[in-house]
Amino acid sequence: MKSDNVKKGMQQAPHRSLFNALGFTGEEMNKPLVGIVSSYNEIVPGHMNLDKIVNAVKLGVAEAGGVPVVFPAIAVCDGIAMGHVGMKYSLVTRDLIADSTECMALAHQFDALVMVPNCDKNVPGLLMAAARINVPTVFVSGGPMLAGHVKGKKTSLSSMFEAVGSYAAGTMTEEDVCEYERKACPTCGSCSGMYTANSMNCLTEVLGMGLRGNGTIPAVYSDRIRLAKHAGMAVMEMLKKDIKPRDIMTKEAILNALTVDMALGCSTNSMLHLPAIAHEVGFDFDIKFANEISEKTPNLCHLAPAGHTYMEDLNEAGGVYAVMNELDKLGLLYRDCMTVTGKTVGENIEHAINLNPEVIRPIDNPYSKTGGLAVLSGNLAPDGSVVKRSAVVNEMMVHEGPARVFDCEEDAIEAIKGGKIVAGDVVVIRYEGPKGGPGMREMLNPTSAIAGMGLGSTVALITDGRFSGASRGASIGHVSPEAAVGGPIALVEEGDIISINIPQLKLELKVSEEELAARKAKWQPREPKVTTGYLRRYASMVTSGNRGAILKTPDTI
């Protein structure tokens, strides 16, 4: 056992004395040491129940013959961090989480790990860590929140943000907003639509790193506790069989995740996290893979914000395995990939049934024949940009309009709420990329303001930042190269015509090459927005959005 490095032999007598200080028994010293990585905290609604999940995992590990030992991982609530300087600190935590978990796991020589994440960045951060550490590892998330109910209709956090825009437009009263405020987020759990947290928890299941139901069983269901106990048992079985994350998270497994991503209509943030996870296992993930896979993958689900179904509905309809089973009918999945169950993907999904064809469309009646995400390229985004195609209304699939240019999110929100943005405009928010932000802030506030003010079917938004999974509409993010490194988005001027053609995967600035070259010659880099602390260090090391905003290492410089 790996833990023998700190438990066995005369040389390890000092180590054993410290285990004695922890209250370990002699019997425990002869059993596998299993680290339980707990993201529990009291500020993130998706994490407030993780203490119960962790306790259930501990019971499962102990029952199966292991010794569970808990240590922490941090997590930011993107909703609370939204719209102010705090959002600069969201994406950057992904690498802190991966690094700190690697440090803890290897410093203490754990034999196996159970990761207990839930929200946006700590799921991919722990997947990255699992790939690096490469000891038997199982994931069990805290589960999604139940949908809220306002005026007889299900609702969620995205409706809450849009209510603020509606209030600014004069179409909703303060009392209406307060009702949403009280009812939109009724339970603990990751917010109830197909936002980033739920996207990544579902894709963890697809990757083979979580048991069935990891992405969809609601946080408040007792089934979630049972799942956690089984996760603890499963990791002990993996230890016996020596099944490790890199046996599971192969190139084929990552392509499976991208395929199911298209069918589910996941958050655009998955196009940051899948490349970063792929990098950890040595797979050079080009975001333009998305178009090739999207071309042959039908979009089967329209969960909020794309539609009016929620994670609880997906769970009742058969969950992620039922979606995978539909896709398997078209031969779109690599069936032989190993999973934490000790069985292959094909074996796992064989008996999964689609119980609600209104929630999971059958393959012969998809929402669209192409997938939920698209990567757009052109002279405005030579290295690509990302849009959640499944959440764009038909009339905005092709759009041309004048650029309204803002160098930060706050200025754009002020203009939108001040009535200065009109139908047909293309809002450009730049210098918000991984390096320029720094931290690549999510733009849920401006997209929600656009939707709430009734402009969702007539106004587009383009940014080198990113979007929350709760954003909808013609919201095009991850524009690469970003403005901070002199990408073409830095050269856009007020009134320039921008052409968006999602079916043709094009994003073009209607300005001549000669004029762009002249603007480029005059362009000067901006002074860094942050000059101290972790964000400054992050800005100096981070790569472009199209590369997953991974940090430079000697092999990526």
Side-chain angles (χ1 to χ4, degrees), residues 342-358:
K343 298 178 180 179
T344 65
V345 165
E347 290 172 318
N348 283 343
I349 67 173
E350 188 174 1
H351 300 295
I353 299 171
N354 181 356
L355 299 172
N356 189 337
E358 296 301 312

Side-chain angles (χ1 to χ4, degrees), residues 359-377:
V359 176
I360 304 171
R361 290 277 187 95
I363 53 168
D364 57 2
N365 182 34
Y367 283 101
S368 64
K369 292 182 179 179
T370 53
L373 298 181
V375 174
L376 312 185
S377 301

Side-chain angles (χ1 to χ4, degrees), residues 68-96:
V69 181
V70 179
F71 65 88
I74 64 168
V76 163
C77 176
D78 277 24
I80 294 174
M82 195 71 66
H84 55 89
V85 68
M87 183 43 70
K88 294 179 185 288
Y89 286 91
S90 171
L91 179 60
V92 305
T93 64
R94 184 186 71 184
D95 297 275
L96 279 175

Side-chain angles (χ1 to χ4, degrees), residues 35-40 50 54 69-73 97 101 105 113-117 126:
I36 316 296
V37 186
S38 171
S39 301
Y40 170 76
L50 295 192
V54 166
V69 181
V70 179
F71 65 88
I97 291 161
T101 303
L113 298 168
V114 180
M115 306 292 198
V116 187
L126 290 177

Side-chain angles (χ1 to χ4, degrees), residues 290-481:
N291 291 337
E292 182 183 334
I293 287 179
S294 177
E295 201 58 37
K296 58 187 179 183
T297 306
N299 178 226
L300 304 180
C301 299
H302 265 193
L303 288 97
H308 300 290
T309 53
Y310 296 83
M311 295 304 297
E312 62 202 65
D313 302 312
L314 179 59
N315 187 62
E316 295 302 320
V320 173
Y321 277 18
V323 176
M324 294 175 74
N325 190 272
E326 289 288 346
L327 296 175
D328 191 47
K329 295 172 186 176
L330 294 174
L332 295 177
L333 298 178
Y334 292 95
R335 294 174 52 87
D336 294 334
C337 295
M338 180 51 63
T339 73
V340 295
T341 66
K343 298 178 180 179
T344 65
V345 165
E347 290 172 318
N348 283 343
I349 67 173
E350 188 174 1
H351 300 295
I353 299 171
N354 181 356
L355 299 172
N356 189 337
E358 296 301 312
V359 176
I360 304 171
R361 290 277 187 95
I363 53 168
D364 57 2
N365 182 34
Y367 283 101
S368 64
K369 292 182 179 179
T370 53
L373 298 181
V375 174
L376 312 185
S377 301
N379 69 345
L380 188 50
D383 294 337
S385 60
V386 182
V387 63
K388 189 170 183 175
R389 173 166 44 189
S390 60
V392 180
V393 293
N394 287 334
E395 50 265 48
M396 289 299 290
M397 286 290 185
V398 178
H399 179 76
E400 237 181 55
R404 305 298 309 280
V405 183
F406 304 93
D407 287 350
C408 67
E409 178 189 4
E410 289 82 358
D411 290 350
I413 293 170
E414 184 179 347
I416 295 164
K417 291 187 176 177
K420 296 177 182 177
I421 302 302
V422 299
D425 284 348
V426 179
V427 176
V428 177
I429 305 177
R430 62 191 180 189
Y431 294 99
E432 290 284 9
K435 189 176 292 291
M440 204 178 187
R441 286 196 287 180
E442 287 184 343
M443 301 291 159
L444 179 56
N445 271 349
T447 59
S448 298
I450 287 169
M453 296 187 75
L455 296 170
S457 60
T458 58
V459 169
L461 193 155
I462 294 171
T463 181
D464 54 6
R466 61 194 178 91
F467 295 108
S468 165
S471 291
R472 61 187 176 100
S475 304
I476 301 166
H478 308 197
V479 171
S480 301

Side-chain angles (χ1 to χ4, degrees), residues 129-300:
R132 288 184 203 171
I133 300 160
N134 204 36
V135 297
T137 303
V138 174
F139 277 65
V140 55
S141 77
M145 184 183 290
L146 294 179
H149 290 82
V150 177
K151 301 187 190 308
K153 294 182 178 179
K154 285 186 177 181
T155 191
S156 61
L157 183 65
S158 53
S159 303
M160 182 70 253
F161 274 90
E162 289 177 17
V164 176
S166 298
Y167 175 76
T171 58
M172 190 175 281
T173 67
E174 184 175 348
E175 289 75 19
D176 289 332
V177 176
C178 288
E179 184 177 8
Y180 271 94
E181 190 178 321
R182 292 193 306 272
K183 298 178 179 178
C185 299
T187 71
C188 62
S190 47
C191 297
S192 56
M194 188 53 80
Y195 310 148
T196 305
N198 292 326
S199 295
M200 293 310 302
N201 283 323
C202 287
L203 296 185
T204 297
E205 211 174 314
V206 181
L207 283 169
M209 291 297 294
L211 298 174
R212 182 176 187 174
N214 177 71
T216 60
I217 297 171
V220 294
Y221 283 14
S222 298
D223 270 354
R224 179 62 57 177
I225 299 298
R226 279 188 284 274
L227 181 74
K229 291 176 182 176
H230 285 134
M233 297 174 195
V235 82
M236 295 304 296
E237 196 61 30
M238 288 177 70
L239 185 59
K240 290 176 189 173
K241 295 178 179 177
D242 196 31
I243 300 172
K244 299 186 179 77
R246 288 185 204 167
D247 301 322
I248 294 170
M249 289 192 286
T250 59
K251 173 182 176 180
E252 290 75 18
I254 291 167
L255 293 177
N256 277 349
L258 185 55
T259 299
V260 179
D261 186 329
M262 294 298 168
L264 285 171
C266 289
S267 164
T268 53
N269 282 312
S270 65
M271 297 303 291
L272 285 173
H273 301 322
L274 287 177
I277 295 162
H279 177 72
E280 297 292 345
V281 298
F283 170 31
D284 188 12
F285 184 107
D286 184 336
I287 63 167
K288 292 178 183 176
F289 290 157
N291 291 337
E292 182 183 334
I293 287 179
S294 177
E295 201 58 37
K296 58 187 179 183
T297 306
N299 178 226
L300 304 180

